[in-house]
Amino acid sequence: MPFRDGFGKTWGLKGKVASVFGNNELARSVSEALRKEGINVVDECNPQTSILITIPSDMNQTKTNSLDISPDCWSTRMRDLFENPRQITQQNLPSIKGRKNGRIIHLIGSFEPNKFSVDYAAWGATAAWAKSITRALDGFDTTVNMIQSGVSFGDPLMEKVPMGRGCRVTDITNLVLFLCSDYSSYINGAIIPVDGGLSRFWR
Amino acid sequence: MRVSLAGKRAIITGASQGIGRGVFEVFAQLGVRCVTAARRKNILEEHSKEVIAMGGIAPVPIEVDLFEAGAASYLFEQAQGALGGVDILVNAAGRSKAPDAPRQTPFHHPSELWEKELHLNYVVLRELTFAVLPSMQARKFGRVINVTGKSEPEKLSTANPPKAAVHAWSKGLSRSIAPDGVTINQISPGKIVSEQILANYSAQELEAYGKKDIPLGRLGTPQELGYLAAFLASPEAGYITGAVIPVDGGMKRYAF
């Protein structure tokens, strides 16, 4: 039977090298969760890297009801939410393509606007681009997926979450580990919401 | 434990072949007590012997034809009796077309045949879900996982509309049952090696299709889908609901 021994007990990630880009609480928790699985976590380009995770530092929306947004704000958010993950991925691709079972995971936010924000366009760009690189990675045994996180405790939108609570760090790290593992080998180009049912449309 | 499912009780439809069978193999190894449902009980029984020999938990095979009236409530009652309750429902029964239907659905395809596919791919799945839901809500834990299909209609097909119906229906439902700790998610498979797909396409066609249209360059296995089903069924995935997650090697084109 092709059931792989150990599923459910271990993620089988010991000894792998993961690059985690992000400078916030979530990035630190993700790194810690990976280390607990025996992964060597680095925060720069490493030729041994087979797992890349990008987590924008400030994932909170720059919400406003005004269209009067400075060009500087537009370019900053586009850079933080799209350009940076894109460039980091580009830099890490040579090492990931050279390893078995490469994994690229981008943390993104919702693109369902409840107010006006520059962030929706940036997340949309990231999603469209990340989907398209799966086509360029043809034959490299590498998957690219996105985790779309919901709102955390204390967010004004929390009362709208059907599950009745904010997103916990473990809600995200559990899925990150699953996606890093060999058990997710055929999941590619997916956007997986971890939002307690908050989004209105299905992904 | 990274995926804690030991002791949970599940119904898996379409369990004799393909995706349902793969889900069962993964669940049984994780200690889930499964009711395996299909028309061909002899296949279920043969397969259960293999799974038990590999250390999996013995299932309760139940013969049921989901096309028959009352099939959903019959299956739920049988499962309730055999397992004492149902924590997880995996609706894996379904098909992209009837075995004797032409590969390309014609304009003049008879209404009763459209209805038949709608029944199998959506109606019976909905009935079974509503049958198991009250007890899940009462226990404050439940998982419904529907195996659907891609939502990108490549051509006229009897399967696309019912699969899309499942996506829309379950998104709405997910919002009502989330407060009770019950999640409902959809796995939309791409080309997964199964009896069905091997009957519908030749080996050469599948290989060419994999190289041309699937970024990972190959077909998937039922177990690869089973691992995701197990993860979604576990308490560890309790904040994921109302989602449609492709297991397709990157085949679908649309990003969002």
Side-chain angles (χ1 to χ4, degrees):
Chain A
M1 198 198 310
F3 182 82
R4 295 183 211 172
D5 249 3
F7 178 67
K9 299 181 189 73
T10 162
W11 290 119
L13 292 166
K14 207 171 168 198
K16 290 193 183 254
V17 176
S19 299
V20 177
F21 287 86
N23 183 21
N24 57 11
E25 200 49 46
L26 182 59
R28 282 185 284 278
S29 304
V30 166
S31 300
E32 197 188 313
L34 295 177
R35 279 196 198 96
K36 272 194 192 148
E37 298 296 321
I39 296 175
N40 178 16
V41 180
V42 297
D43 55 7
E44 53 197 21
C45 277
N46 183 307
Q48 305 296 312
T49 292
S50 66
I51 297 169
L52 169 70
I53 301 172
T54 71
I55 304 172
S57 291
D58 178 12
M59 293 191 57
N60 288 324
Q61 285 166 31
T62 50
K63 275 180 209 153
T64 162
N65 276 330
S66 156
L67 287 171
D68 188 19
I69 287 177
S70 70
D72 192 46
C73 177
W74 276 104
S75 51
T76 304
R77 292 306 274 169
M78 284 305 280
R79 192 185 64 225
D80 291 351
L81 307 183
F82 169 57
E83 258 307 301
N84 285 350
R86 190 191 68 74
Q87 287 180 19
I88 289 160
T89 305
Q90 203 72 40
Q91 288 156 13
N92 281 273
L93 270 180
S95 42
I96 295 173
K97 277 157 72 170
R99 330 271 336 156
K100 279 224 104 164
N101 299 321
R103 295 283 184 268
I104 299 173
I105 301 169
H106 298 295
L107 265 287
I108 63 171
S110 166
F111 18 71
E112 292 182 7
N114 73 312
K115 282 194 173 184
F116 180 73
S117 164
V118 301
D119 295 12
Y120 298 112
W123 294 130
T126 307
W129 156 78
K131 177 74 189 169
S132 69
I133 57 171
T134 62
R135 301 269 157 183
L137 286 167
D138 236 344
F140 278 105
D141 218 9
T142 292
T143 66
V144 186
N145 291 294
M146 287 150 276
I147 297 177
Q148 194 165 43
S149 63
V151 297
S152 15
F153 286 86
D155 191 288
L157 275 180
M158 211 183 89
E159 63 185 45
K160 295 200 170 173
V161 178
M163 201 67 76
R165 65 168 176 90
C167 187
R168 295 184 187 126
V169 165
T170 48
D171 295 323
I172 304 287
T173 53
N174 290 341
L175 180 60
V176 166
L177 290 169
F178 175 71
L179 287 176
C180 285
S181 77
D182 289 358
Y183 302 112
S184 69
S185 46
Y186 208 57
I187 304 177
N188 191 17
I191 299 175
I192 305 181
V194 183
D195 67 358
L198 178 64
S199 54
R200 304 244 178 130
F201 193 68
W202 56 85
R203 297 279 165 259
Chain B
M1 239 14 199
R2 308 300 195 268
V3 179
S4 331
L5 284 177
K8 293 270 191 268
R9 302 155 297 181
I11 298 178
I12 303 171
T13 67
S16 62
Q17 291 295 339
I19 290 170
R21 184 181 172 112
V23 171
F24 162 58
E25 287 176 6
V26 175
F27 276 30
Q29 293 290 336
L30 291 173
V32 180
R33 287 164 60 213
C34 299
V35 154
T36 50
R39 279 179 293 194
R40 296 172 292 182
K41 198 173 180 185
N42 58 327
I43 299 182
L44 293 175
E45 280 167 350
E46 273 309 301
H47 185 224
S48 84
K49 283 183 208 150
E50 290 169 34
V51 171
I52 295 165
M54 298 293 290
I57 297 273
V60 181
I62 289 179
E63 184 180 324
V64 63
D65 183 349
L66 296 177
F67 284 113
E68 276 177 20
S73 51
Y74 167 78
L75 177 56
F76 174 62
E77 279 160 27
Q78 294 289 307
Q80 191 74 13
L83 305 173
V86 179
D87 307 297
I88 304 162
L89 167 64
V90 181
N91 285 307
R95 61 191 187 191
S96 55
K97 71 173 195 62
D100 53 358
R103 191 184 276 195
Q104 173 59 61
T105 306
F107 280 154
H108 53 75
H109 202 57
S111 273
E112 58 272 25
L113 296 184
W114 278 98
E115 300 267 327
K116 215 175 162 191
E117 300 310 298
L118 181 71
H119 182 81
L120 178 67
N121 291 318
Y122 168 57
V123 175
V124 78
L125 167 161
R126 189 192 65 211
E127 289 174 348
L128 199 47
T129 304
F130 282 131
V132 300
L133 266 183
S135 60
M136 288 180 175
Q137 289 176 289
R139 275 197 304 274
K140 300 290 174 199
F141 180 91
R143 297 285 186 264
V144 178
I145 295 161
N146 298 315
V147 179
T148 55
K150 68 172 181 178
S151 32
E152 292 177 353
E154 236 177 295
K155 54 183 184 181
L156 183 65
S157 141
T158 51
N160 268 134
K163 310 267 189 201
V166 176
H167 292 168
W169 161 77
S170 62
K171 182 65 188 169
L173 177 63
S174 73
R175 306 186 127 242
S176 320
I177 59 179
D180 296 319
V182 182
T183 68
I184 178 166
N185 289 292
Q186 284 57 244
I187 300 180
S188 72
K191 296 267 187 286
I192 305 288
V193 182
S194 67
E195 187 184 50
Q196 243 187 72
I197 227 160
L198 296 174
N200 289 347
Y201 302 90
S202 73
Q204 292 92 319
E205 274 178 297
L206 289 173
E207 202 191 324
Y209 190 89
K211 290 218 157 38
K212 188 170 141 278
D213 282 315
I214 305 173
L216 287 179
R218 62 173 177 91
L219 269 63
T221 68
Q223 290 75 21
E224 284 179 303
L225 197 141
Y227 296 129
L228 176 63
F231 177 70
L232 290 172
S234 75
E236 284 79 1
Y239 205 60
I240 303 177
T241 191
V244 176
I245 306 177
V247 178
D248 67 355
M251 181 176 90
K252 77 170 179 124
R253 303 264 174 106
Y254 191 51
F256 304 103

